[in-house]
Amino acid sequence: VLTSRMTEAHKCELLGGAFAMIVQLSLALVCVLTLVIKRQSEYPQRDWLVWFLDATKQGVGSSFGHFSNIYLSVVIAQSLPTADECQWYCTTYVLDATVGTACNLILLSLFSMAVRRFPYCGEGMIPGDYGDPPQLTLYLPQLAVWLMIVVIGKVLLLLSLSQVIVPLDALLATVFKPIRKYPELELVLVMILIPSVLNALQFWLTDSFLKRSASNDKMEDGAETEMTGLRSGQLDDDLLVSNHS
């Protein structure tokens, strides 16, 4: 889906094929290597299983964003006579990796704050905490929450983008004009170089929020303390009622 060709009007189009698979596998490899390097550089290091669960949450969310960007780029290119699929793919990729990532992390932080505020309602939802040993019953709800956050972030981004499609298309035509006659260069920049760099930065940053961290440990300790306080208060009330009776 990521290879390109130039039409008679010098428009780059997203196509399928063997090279498309190679490009997608290369981008996925960059993401995996980024997370492996991050794990090797952190202290204390996560268990490999915990790391894998953290990584798959990102993988699912990133796959959704990746294919939705492809679909959106094709739809816009078919709607506007001057639009170029590859240019719009690059644009949606950049917006997704910057504005979209910021939106997702803000929503995740708000969710974490809600879990901290109401620990009895969000038990087992502390990001990156899957139990010891890790349990699917704790992982799957966290995966569902993250995917929901990614979908919400994507919808908000698309609603904002829909307001500036026409002027933005004109801007893209001007920015990409110097390389429109060099499809190979456009392919390398739009499909390989830019996504690889952005993927590495996006996965490194997002992993810091999705994994269990010291702040999450404090949040869990606070939740346990609050739950203990609630139980103690209930016991005190029960004892008081018993004494009165």
Side-chain angles (χ1 to χ4, degrees):
V1 183
L2 293 180
T3 51
S4 68
R5 70 179 179 184
M6 297 301 293
T7 65
E8 295 180 357
H10 298 291
K11 286 186 179 181
C12 176
E13 295 182 352
L14 303 175
L15 298 172
F19 187 73
M21 294 300 299
I22 294 176
V23 171
Q24 294 185 70
L25 290 175
S26 299
L27 292 176
L29 182 60
V30 169
C31 297
V32 173
L33 289 178
T34 298
L35 295 180
V36 170
I37 293 173
K38 186 175 186 297
R39 178 194 177 274
Q40 295 303 110
S41 64
E42 65 187 18
Y43 181 83
Q45 291 183 347
R46 283 168 284 178
D47 179 80
W48 278 110
L49 178 56
V50 174
W51 172 88
F52 175 78
L53 295 176
D54 289 338
T56 52
K57 283 195 294 189
Q58 274 213 79
V60 172
S62 179
S63 296
F64 170 79
H66 172 72
F67 289 108
S68 62
N69 287 340
I70 293 175
Y71 176 76
L72 177 64
S73 302
V74 174
V75 170
I76 293 177
Q78 293 175 349
S79 303
L80 300 176
T82 59
D84 182 290
E85 290 180 9
C86 296
Q87 293 175 11
W88 272 102
Y89 174 79
C90 180
T91 302
T92 55
Y93 216 113
V94 171
L95 291 175
D96 203 32
T98 54
V99 180
T101 297
C103 182
N104 293 342
L105 296 183
I106 290 174
L107 291 175
L108 180 62
S109 298
L110 292 175
F111 175 79
S112 298
M113 290 172 59
V115 172
R116 183 171 62 247
R117 179 66 180 83
F118 306 103
Y120 41 86
C121 296
E123 188 175 357
M125 297 300 293
I126 296 176
D129 181 12
Y130 313 114
D132 187 17
Q135 305 171 33
L136 282 178
T137 53
L138 295 178
Y139 165 75
L140 292 178
Q142 292 187 37
L143 174 62
V145 168
W146 174 244
L147 185 57
M148 182 175 63
I149 287 175
V150 171
V151 171
I152 293 174
K154 174 63 70 175
V155 170
L156 294 176
L157 184 61
L158 293 183
L159 289 176
S160 301
L161 187 62
S162 64
Q163 305 301 314
V164 294
I165 286 183
V166 175
L168 185 56
D169 184 63
L171 176 62
L172 291 176
T174 301
V175 172
F176 283 91
K177 185 177 181 179
I179 63 173
R180 291 198 63 163
K181 295 182 179 180
Y182 307 97
E184 294 83 5
L185 177 59
E186 184 176 4
L187 173 64
V188 171
L189 288 176
V190 173
M191 305 298 176
I192 301 177
L193 183 59
I194 294 177
S196 295
V197 174
L198 290 179
N199 267 348
L201 295 174
Q202 179 186 23
F203 268 64
W204 188 290
L205 177 62
T206 304
D207 182 68
S208 299
F209 284 78
L210 288 178
K211 77 182 187 73
R212 179 167 179 162
S213 61
S215 60
N216 290 335
D217 291 336
K218 293 179 180 178
M219 182 172 63
E220 183 179 21
D221 292 340
E224 292 179 353
T225 300
E226 184 169 345
M227 291 297 293
T228 301
L230 290 173
R231 296 190 187 100
S232 299
Q234 183 63 44
L235 288 175
D236 291 341
D237 291 340
D238 292 342
L239 289 173
L240 185 60
V241 171
S242 177
N243 290 335
H244 280 299
S245 62

